[in-house]
Every structure is written in C-alpha cells, then in structure tokens.
Amino acid sequence: MLVIDCPYCGPRPELEFSYGGQAHIARPANPATVETSDWAAFLYLRSNTRGLHAERWRHVRGCARFFNALRDTTTDKFIATYRTGEPAPAIDSRGDR
Amino acid sequence: MQKFSAWSLLKQSFGGHQGWQPQWRRASPKPAYDAIIIGGGGHGLGTAYYLAAEHGIANVAVLEKGWIGGGNTGRNTTIIRSNYLFDESARLYDHALKLWEHLSQVLNYNVMYSPRGVMMLAHTVHDVQVIKRHVHANRGNGVDNEWLSPEDAKAFCPPLNIESNIRYPVMGAALQRRGGTARHDAVAWGYARAADALGVDIIENCEVTGFKRDANGAIEGVETSRGPIASRRVGVVAAGHTSVVLGYAGIKLPLESFPLQALVSEPIKPVVPCVVMSNSVHAYISQSDKGELVIGAGTDAYTSYTQRGALHVNSHTLEAICELFPAFRRMRMLRNWGGIVDVTPDRSPIIAKTTIPGLYVNCGWGTGGFKATPGSANVFAWTIARDEPHPINAPFTIERFRDGFLIDEAAAAAVAH
Ligand SMILES: Cc1cc2nc3c(=O)[nH]c(=O)nc-3n(C[C@H](O)[C@H](O)[C@H](O)COP(=O)(O)OP(=O)(O)OC[C@H]3O[C@@H](n4cnc5c(N)ncnc54)[C@H](O)[C@@H]3O)c2cc1C
Ligand SMILES: [Zn+2]
C-alpha cells in the first residue's frame, strides 16, 4: 500500500484516497467550436506515461479535497504532491529539481 | 517439427527421451521481413501463426523484449468464456471459443483447453436482472448461457456457500458450459512451435525502440535493441506497453495501463470443479490440475508499469473467497504476482489499422484477453494480410471513440475477465 502525502493533511495510507486520473486536462473554454476529434481526445485520450505522471488524487476519507501528484509509474514512488491550481513542479523522475 | 503423438512418445522413451529437439529455433533477426509482430504473447505469436498458416505470409518475425509468454499471457488466471453482452463482442469472443475447441489438434500441442463451465454469481436483485439479460442476449446470439438457481449452482459447484446469512448471498448464477480454462504457457509455446515450423522467426530479448518511416510516412521498419529490421507491415501486440510502443510512432490511443494481480494457494485435492466468478464481490476462482486454487484479484486504482500490485487488493478478494467458500479459510497462499493490463474506456479491445500506413494494432484487452487469444490472433492476421479488417473485428476500431460507437462492455459488466 502506498503512503500518500496529502498537501493539506500530511502522509496517510492509500486506502484513504481515491485516484482521479491524469491531471491538468482542461475542459475546452469554448465548447461550441470544438471539433469532434478534440472532444474525443478530451474524453478518452490519456498520456498513460511510463515514467513521471501528473495525476489527481482525492483524500476522500480525510479532508475530502482534490490535489495533484507527480508519481513515477515505473516504481510507484511519489515525487511530489501539490495543491489544485498550482502548476506541476519541474522535477525529473529521480526527484531532482 | 517433431510431431507429438503416442507413437513419438513411445519411440522417444526407448532413447531415454534424449532425442527431443528444441520446439522452436532460437532465431536472430534477418535484415528484412514481410511482416513484423511486436510482442511475443499469445496474441502476437498466434497472429504470426495465422499469417503463415492462413495467408501464406511466412517470412515473419515476432519480436519480444523479454521471453515469449512472459507478459500477461503467462500471468493470467486463464478463464475462457464468450458470454459477453453486445453482438460485436459475442461474435469476437465466440469466434475464439470455437477455435479453442480444436486448438490442441490444430497446433499438435496440448493447450489443455478444459470446458469445465464458467459460473457467474448474482448477489443482488440488480445482479440477477443484469445476468438474466446477459443470458437472453447470449442465447439470441447463439452463445450458450443458462440461468441457475442457488441450489443448482451448489449442485454444479459443491463447495459454494449458498446460505443466506452472508453479506452478499448467492441469489443465482449464469453458467456457460463451454467456458473453462486452458494452460496459458502452452498457448504461447504451441503457437510459437507451430509458427516456427512454418518459417516464422521468434526473436526473444529484442526490444522495439522506434519505427522507421518512408517519405510518405508509411512504415518501413523498426529500430530494436538488436539493430534495425525492415518491414512494410508491422503489427503492435504489446498489451500493457502499447502506449509506450505506439508513442515511438507518435500515436496516442485511448488506453490506460493498470496492474492486475492473481495468486495461487497451496495444492489440494480436487474440490472446485468449474470456474466461479463474481463481479459484485470481486472473486474469481478455479483449480489447476496441480491442485492449486487459482484466484484472480482486482486492478490497482492507479496506472502503473510496475508489474506488481498492492496487497490490500488481494486481501479484498480473499475476504470474498472466504465468504463464498468457508472451507478455504485456513488455506495458505503460495505466491502472488501482477501483470500490466491495457484498459480502454469501453473495456473492449482495439484490433485495427492505425493512421500510419503499414502499422496495425491489437490492444486494449485489459483484464480479459486470454480467452480471446485464438480469435484475436486469427482476425488480426487477416487485417494485416489484407490491409482491411475481418468482418468480426471491423467494429473494434480506434475511431469508435470519436464517432460514438462504443462497445460498452464496461457498462455491461463493470469488470471483465
Ligand atoms: C493477473 C491477470 C489475470 C488475468 N486473468 C484473465 C482471465 O482469467 N481470462 C482472460 O481472458 N484474461 C485474463 N487476463 C488478461 C490476459 O492475460 C491478457 O488480456 C492477454 O494475455 C493479453 O495477451 P497479449 O498476447 O496481448 O499480451 P502479453 O502476453 O502481455 O504480450 C505482450 C508482449 O509484448 C512484449 N513487449 C512489450 N513492449 C515491447 C517492445 N517494446 N518490444 C518488444 N516486445 C514488447 C511484452 O514483453 C509481452 O510479452 C488476466 C491478466 C492478468 C495480468
Ligand atoms: Zn487531506
């Protein structure tokens, strides 16, 4: 089980969290002008990165807040967690800034 | 190819079984092939076999980064069934089931297909309705499936607990009698041996790291850890690593890779005569010929390429197993492992041409593609050989997500094995 560092509450066991998929996917600002293929991409295409992955988590059985994380999907190691609205920290997968 | 038969067994026994030859050549890459298959799992090896056996394309290489069958093919719980809800799926999975029935004879290799019956349990009123709907839809499609009362279910699988005092009592079950299991390794080895005998090169420890394109963008070949190899037709069958491989060609597909786990118990005398599945409490169980209980657990919540999973996922499944089979409560589990499964938004596979001429993909089998191995390989070989889909895989395109033609087994089953 992973230990996840909620930016609001601190480190807690994975069971308190739910996973929210890839982070920083912005809904199109002007939906009326969006092409079908772009809608499909918005709905279905994910980076599925092998390596450093920016993703959403929710501390659902804690503070209940959403936040974002950078995790290395080859080791499951969390490199950073950060609050919603903040940009992803510029870090490589070894955790060096 | 040395043919296996009672006679060859007898003959070899006189020589103390020293006369058996390796079952396929340890091939090294040639400079060029008529077709290249990336991924030496059951689907990839099967594709190469059908290209050679049915389409006359035998100058084929299967490139495997590790050892063949070392991916999900060798890691799955081997449940075979075809009772999917939608017409498109029923056709695809039943095509596979029909091929399973004769696969050992066709390949001259015992894949130990055992149609012992797959029983899917209902635990709630909703389950009963959904499963009955499946039964009727399946029968409409010519796929066998029947509804059992709890008592009938227990008669079919005696260790099953049908008492009403458990959290999710058994309210009935669907039984597909043609469903069952097969030996996963034998499927990889049987296809490899038969493909090799037709001239296919099986190249292990050869990781594909890039693609070569001509001036028009069409596929010209692949870059590998063992050097470049030319081919104008390349099929990607890389399961959990499909996104990584297609990423080398700049193609993004609606796929996410998750760890899925399984575990086996210590071996015991025969006790579970069939396959029992429960989507609601998330338990899958059958018994191997060695006597181990083979148990399928769930996926982790998050995408990962680690080929392992969290222990609490296994505990969750074992809790459900212990309620359904109280007799197993004191058993010890011997080992557990994980595989990386590639999941599409509708939980149906993609078997299709890509936007790049000469590049084909067979992926998205997620948690449930072992059962489809022969059928998937068969129609994918057709797709590569003719540069157009077989009618069975024609609906399983990439564009269905854009065009709204999902084959939504996800909504139909929530999970699929
Ligand atoms: C624990 C578990 C239980 C399962 N239970 C069931 C079940 O009961 N019933 C069922 O129907 N299905 C089940 N499945 C799903 C099933 O195992 C898969 O859908 C199926 O085996 C996929 O076969 P494949 O040949 O496509 O993939 P794989 O066997 O994974 O083959 C893909 C191959 O591609 C290779 N590869 C990847 N990248 C590269 C590269 N760059 N270059 C060269 N080679 C590469 C990999 O090494 C791998 O060997 C289960 C899966 C798991 C993990
Ligand atoms: Zn919190």
Side-chain angles (χ1 to χ4, degrees), chain B residues 1 22 130 153 206 283 328 392 401:
Chain B
M1 180 172 88
V130 168
C206 182
F328 300 159
I392 290 179
F401 296 98

Side-chain angles (χ1 to χ4, degrees), chain B residues 188-256:
Chain B
W189 299 337
Y191 272 125
R193 172 172 167 271
D196 172 272
L198 295 172
V200 171
D201 279 358
I202 293 169
I203 303 166
E204 293 177 306
N205 300 310
C206 182
E207 178 172 359
V208 171
T209 54
F211 292 95
K212 283 198 167 172
R213 316 265 295 271
D214 69 12
N216 301 320
I219 288 291
E220 249 182 353
V222 295
E223 304 281 0
T224 80
S225 55
R226 298 176 66 173
I229 310 175
S231 183
R232 296 215 140 261
R233 280 184 283 214
V234 176
V236 178
V237 205
H241 284 75
T242 304
S243 298
V244 178
V245 174
L246 283 179
Y248 302 142
I251 291 183
K252 211 166 160 186
L253 289 188
L255 291 175
E256 287 192 293

Side-chain angles (χ1 to χ4, degrees), chain B residues 51 66 108 125 137 162 169 175 178-179 190 196 201 233 243 296 361 382 389:
Chain B
L51 275 173
N108 180 235
V125 172
I162 57 166
L175 173 64
R178 289 156 70 225
D196 172 272
D201 279 358
R233 280 184 283 214
S243 298
V361 65
W382 170 298

Side-chain angles (χ1 to χ4, degrees), chain A residues 10-11 21 43 46-48 55-56 63 84 95-96:
Chain A
L43 286 172
R46 298 294 175 262
S47 67
N48 201 23
E55 58 195 23
R56 300 192 308 162
C63 64
T84 306
D96 303 329

Side-chain angles (χ1 to χ4, degrees), chain A residues 1-2 14-15 19 36-37 40 44-50 53 57 71 73-76, chain B residues 241 243-244 252-257 301-306 308 310 312 345 401-402 406:
Chain A
M1 193 180 305
L2 306 175
E14 178 192 334
L15 285 185
Y19 179 67
T36 315
S37 52
Y44 298 124
L45 288 190
R46 298 294 175 262
S47 67
N48 201 23
T49 308
R50 187 175 190 280
H53 187 235
W57 284 85
R71 182 176 53 92
T73 62
T74 63
T75 58
D76 289 342
Chain B
H241 284 75
S243 298
V244 178
K252 211 166 160 186
L253 289 188
L255 291 175
E256 287 192 293
S257 296
Y302 45 87
T303 62
S304 178
Y305 288 87
T306 55
R308 56 176 186 255
H312 67 85
F401 296 98
R402 180 197 64 200
L406 272 61

Side-chain angles (χ1 to χ4, degrees), chain A residues 6-10 17 59 62-65 67:
Chain A
C6 172
Y8 304 97
C9 312
F17 297 84
H59 192 188
C63 64
R65 283 200 263 194
F67 61 93

